[in-house]
């Protein structure tokens, strides 16, 4: 007991012997706290160039289809599976976010609202196309609507590379007639459909012609898109919304890319990350062999009288 008391008195004396500045420093250190910065999942990472952040290639198609589904527009529904969070925004897009603390965590667009899939006079699914590039194609998603007690994204899978299948449950499609196409059409298009059905029954058109006429009708209603419609507004791998058909556009694109390289170089230098300078390509390497015009200009000009000698 005496030994413990002696040790306690020794510690107390040591604490009292701490000088004023040192004691103040200890007090300030005790008040410090560590604040953990929230993860942005790669959306606003300064090390990523502008072209790799979430940038849609085009605007979504207009809202269309059954009017009672329009209330879903402007809302988003998410589902976390494994390391990824999937988010479905009806009539807008589908996105994927990697749920890790890596500095370059993946976030991408799996498709932008494009058109309906119609089968047997029924809205069978929502197609989201023109997502982020995936090898030589763009990512796309098909969303199937299923009856459920509440609005929720129930399932996500990737049946094939860069193609995704989603199941969205909602009480809005529980009625057996909730996804029929015919009742949603204006009267003029309903009459047009009636005539197409009559022509098929009278054998005035073939089944192939019937399908073509129905597709044209659905395109006029805004449920399907004509081939080539809603193409991406920017070239993949190039500056946004800018073609390179003219020399002026090429110079402008080169200037923008050079400025981006300088910005990234400064950023790497600020963080002490080693990097190598890009090598300049000489003009001769760019052009390869000289053009016929250049070779012609290097040939000696005809002297007076030579043409006559040749003749």
């Amino acid at each position: 007991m005496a030994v413990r008391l002696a040790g306690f008195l020794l510690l107390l004396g040591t604490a009292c012997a701490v000088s004023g500045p040192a004691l103040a420093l200890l007090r300030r250190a005790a008040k410090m706290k560590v604040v953990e910065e929230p993860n942005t999942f790669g959306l606003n990472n300064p090390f990523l160039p502008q072209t790799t952040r979430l940038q849609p290639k085009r605007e979504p198609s207009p809202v269309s289809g059954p009017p009672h589904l329009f209330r879903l527009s402007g809302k988003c529904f998410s589902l976390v599976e494994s390391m990824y969070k999937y988010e479905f925004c009806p009539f807008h897009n589908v996105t994927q976010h990697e749920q890790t603390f890596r500095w370059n965590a993946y976030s991408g667009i799996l498709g932008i609202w494009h058109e309906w899939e119609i089968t047997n006079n029924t809205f069978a699914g929502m197609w989201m196309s023109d997502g982020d590039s995936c090898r030589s194609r763009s990512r796309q998603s098909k969303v199937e609507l299923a009856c459920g007690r509440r609005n929720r994204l129930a399932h996500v899978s990737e049946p094939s590379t860069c193609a995704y299948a989603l199941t969205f449950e909602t009480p809005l499609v529980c009625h057996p007639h909730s996804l029929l196409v015919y009742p949603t059409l204006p009267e003029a298009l309903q009459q047009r459909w009636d005539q197409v059905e009559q022509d098929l029954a009278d054998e005035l058109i073939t089944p192939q012609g019937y399908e073509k006429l129905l597709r044209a009708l659905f395109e006029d209603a805004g449920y399907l898109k004509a081939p080539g419609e809603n193409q991406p507004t920017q070239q993949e791998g190039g500056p946004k919304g800018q073609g390179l058909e003219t020399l002026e556009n090429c110079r402008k694109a080169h200037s923008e890319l050079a400025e981006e390289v300088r910005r990234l170089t400064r950023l790497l230098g600020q963080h002490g990350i080693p990097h190598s300078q890009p090598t300049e390509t000489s003009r001769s390497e760019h052009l390869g062999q000289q053009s016929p015009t250049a070779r012609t200009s290097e040939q000696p000009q005809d002297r007076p009288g030579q043409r006559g000698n040749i003749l």
Side-chain angles (χ1 to χ4, degrees):
M1 183 66 180
V3 175
R4 292 182 180 179
L5 181 60
F8 175 75
L9 292 176
L10 179 61
L11 291 175
L12 182 61
T14 303
C16 294
V18 177
S19 61
L23 184 59
L25 181 61
L26 289 175
R27 289 176 178 174
R28 286 198 300 269
K31 294 180 180 180
M32 292 176 61
K33 63 179 180 179
V34 177
V35 178
E36 183 178 355
E37 184 178 356
N39 182 28
T40 59
F41 301 110
L43 292 180
N44 299 309
N45 196 298
F47 291 97
L48 295 179
Q50 294 289 339
T51 54
T52 61
R53 302 180 190 176
L54 289 184
Q55 293 183 350
K57 298 177 181 178
R58 60 170 177 83
E59 293 295 324
S61 300
V63 178
S64 64
H68 61 278
L69 297 182
F70 292 179
R71 69 188 71 179
L72 297 176
S73 179
K75 300 179 181 179
C76 294
F77 307 89
S78 60
L79 173 68
V80 177
E81 284 195 357
S82 185
M83 296 174 55
Y84 294 96
K85 176 182 178 182
Y86 299 91
E87 194 167 44
F88 167 54
C89 302
F91 305 106
H92 191 67
N93 64 17
V94 175
T95 57
Q96 180 186 37
H97 308 277
E98 184 179 357
Q99 302 293 283
T100 66
F101 289 95
R102 297 190 301 115
W103 69 272
N104 61 342
Y106 173 77
S107 288
I109 299 176
L110 305 186
I112 303 171
W113 164 236
H114 182 58
E115 65 179 1
W116 286 96
E117 178 176 298
I118 299 177
T119 305
N120 296 328
N121 187 22
T122 303
F123 292 103
M126 304 177 70
W127 275 107
M128 307 283 183
S129 63
D130 299 322
D132 287 348
S133 299
C134 180
R135 298 179 182 176
S136 60
R137 55 183 294 190
S138 296
R139 301 178 190 271
Q140 64 176 3
S141 302
K142 179 185 176 182
V143 183
E144 293 186 354
L145 305 180
C147 176
R149 293 184 177 181
R150 60 185 179 89
N151 296 327
R152 74 183 188 100
L153 183 58
H155 180 69
V156 178
S157 63
E158 188 176 1
S160 59
T161 305
C162 309
Y164 304 83
L166 292 78
T167 301
F168 179 71
E169 294 182 354
T170 174
L172 299 175
V173 300
C174 290
H175 192 279
H177 297 165
S178 60
L179 293 178
L180 292 180
V181 177
Y182 187 88
T184 66
L185 295 172
E187 184 178 356
L189 291 181
Q190 288 182 352
Q191 294 177 357
R192 181 173 154 189
W193 194 342
D194 294 340
Q195 185 61 49
V196 171
E197 295 288 348
Q198 186 62 48
D199 291 344
L200 179 64
D202 295 339
E203 298 183 353
L204 298 178
I205 57 176
T206 63
Q208 293 80 3
Y210 171 82
E211 295 295 334
K212 290 182 179 180
L213 290 174
L214 274 191
R215 178 172 181 85
L217 189 150
F218 296 151
E219 290 176 0
D220 292 343
Y223 301 157
L224 300 180
K225 297 298 178 183
E229 192 175 353
N230 265 14
Q231 290 296 321
T233 56
Q234 71 180 82
Q235 296 181 353
E236 295 184 10
K240 183 177 180 180
Q242 177 174 289
L244 302 179
E245 294 84 1
T246 65
L247 180 60
E248 182 64 26
N249 285 345
C250 287
R251 289 174 176 171
K252 184 177 180 181
H254 179 271
S255 176
E256 292 177 354
L257 291 176
E259 179 61 29
E260 180 69 9
V261 170
R262 287 192 290 269
R263 185 187 71 83
L264 293 176
T265 301
R266 291 194 299 268
L267 190 60
L268 291 174
Q270 293 174 3
H271 291 81
I273 300 176
H275 64 282
S276 58
Q277 293 288 345
T279 57
E280 291 289 340
T281 305
S282 64
R283 183 174 182 272
S284 60
E285 291 176 348
H286 260 305
L287 298 178
Q289 296 181 349
Q290 291 182 330
S291 63
T293 305
R295 290 197 299 268
T296 303
S297 62
E298 293 179 358
Q299 295 177 356
Q301 298 180 356
D302 292 342
R303 298 177 182 177
Q306 279 187 340
R307 186 178 300 274
N309 294 337
I310 295 175
L311 295 175

